[in-house]
Amino acid sequence: MDTWDEFLRWATPSALLTLDGAVRSLNAPMAATLGRSAKQCVGHDFISLLPETQRAAAESLLIHGATTKTVAMRVLEFSGPGEASVISLSEARPVQDPASRERLVWVHSVDARNDPGGLLIPFRLAAAAADLGLWMYAPWKHQLDWLGGAPALALLFPHASVSLPRVVRRVHPDDRKALRQLVRSTVAQSPWISLRFRTENEEWHHIACQTRRIQLGYGGPEQVFGVIRDDTQLEAHRQKAHLLPVV
């Protein structure tokens, strides 16, 4: 049996890379994740096979995996088998063939389905930096979970979890159909939609929402992952400009 077989007998994506990042061997789940056959992957630079948005994180992962004795981990996003992308905790560590003494880097996805919060940390940080809010809708629970982001947006949603019907009741009647369509959308990523939302202190806000379908870990259920932007001030400026007389 090949010495390296034990590293590839995983149900989740797994690959062995040279120290400079070339694919030496990989299992079927990793090939499927990369959207190519195993033959098309072997010998190619692993980072170049990933979506452009994931290359910086993957490069950091491989550098640490090749140069340190400790395990390196990063959250990466891969194309899923359907429309939903897969958010995966990936691990890299150095390994050595006891026979040839060849050093390689073993990269594989960790089963983190029981820790979805950890997978979403990078997205929470990115949302806060972009002044956006982050939420998740679980279709089987008909519930929205507030995940964080910009502090000002968090004030609009004081409860960590809220049922979809309760959210709908706070949306302007003319915008409720659009909200339902948004959370039930089957597309990979929706366009931005605008909603008028009434807070618990009876103030109206103009918010914009966008959703994406994701899968937390391989084999996990699909969820609707979304961002919220508060356009209230922008809308006020637009209305004021519309009322100004033309000179």
Side-chain angles (χ1 to χ4, degrees):
M1 182 179 69
D2 191 328
T3 308
W4 299 114
D5 278 357
E6 61 180 293
F7 295 107
L8 302 178
R9 289 200 303 263
W10 284 61
T12 56
S14 181
L16 288 164
L17 314 178
T18 62
L19 295 183
D20 60 0
V23 179
R24 173 59 61 84
S25 55
L26 71 168
N27 63 6
M30 179 62 86
T33 292
L34 298 174
R36 296 169 172 81
S37 67
K39 185 177 181 180
Q40 291 173 318
C41 296
V42 172
H44 288 273
D45 179 60
F46 178 76
I47 294 174
S48 68
L49 300 175
L50 297 174
E52 188 171 349
T53 56
Q54 303 303 303
R55 291 177 184 174
E59 183 176 14
S60 172
L61 175 70
L62 297 186
I63 289 174
H64 282 79
T67 59
T68 65
K69 294 182 179 180
T70 58
V71 175
M73 290 186 174
R74 297 290 186 277
V75 174
L76 299 177
E77 182 176 349
F78 297 99
S79 299
E83 292 292 336
S85 57
V86 177
I87 308 299
S88 171
L89 179 63
S90 296
E91 173 186 292
R93 65 172 68 188
V95 293
Q96 188 175 57
D97 186 341
S100 67
R101 312 301 293 177
E102 180 183 15
R103 293 178 59 227
L104 296 176
V105 179
W106 177 36
V107 178
H108 69 98
S109 296
V110 178
D111 187 354
R113 285 173 291 176
N114 293 327
D115 182 27
L119 293 177
L120 292 172
I121 287 175
F123 297 91
R124 289 172 172 166
L125 295 175
D131 205 27
L132 300 171
L134 194 66
W135 56 271
M136 187 80 72
Y137 174 63
W140 64 94
K141 295 190 296 184
H142 302 288
Q143 178 174 295
L144 283 89
D145 296 317
W146 177 254
L147 303 177
L153 276 164
L155 295 176
L156 304 182
F157 303 91
H159 304 288
S161 298
V162 61
S163 67
L164 179 60
R166 184 174 177 180
V167 174
V168 170
R169 286 195 297 269
R170 292 197 170 274
V171 171
H172 192 280
D174 292 344
D175 299 333
R176 291 174 181 174
K177 181 178 180 181
L179 174 62
R180 292 189 181 97
Q181 291 176 338
L182 183 72
V183 297
R184 295 169 182 168
S185 173
T186 59
V187 299
Q189 183 168 327
S190 78
W192 285 94
I193 69 162
S194 296
L195 302 170
R196 287 159 290 182
F197 181 80
R198 181 167 49 84
T199 65
E200 292 191 351
N201 60 1
E202 304 302 320
E203 292 182 352
W204 284 97
H205 282 254
H206 290 263
I207 61 174
C209 306
Q210 185 184 52
T211 61
R212 291 173 55 202
R213 290 172 62 203
I214 66 167
Q215 189 175 324
L216 293 178
Y218 288 85
E222 286 188 5
Q223 301 196 48
V224 179
F225 166 83
V227 292
I228 298 175
R229 185 181 70 226
D230 192 345
D231 287 347
T232 304
Q233 291 185 352
L234 178 62
E235 186 63 27
H237 288 314
R238 286 175 178 170
Q239 293 180 5
K240 184 177 180 180
H242 182 71
L243 293 175
L244 288 177
V246 177
V247 295

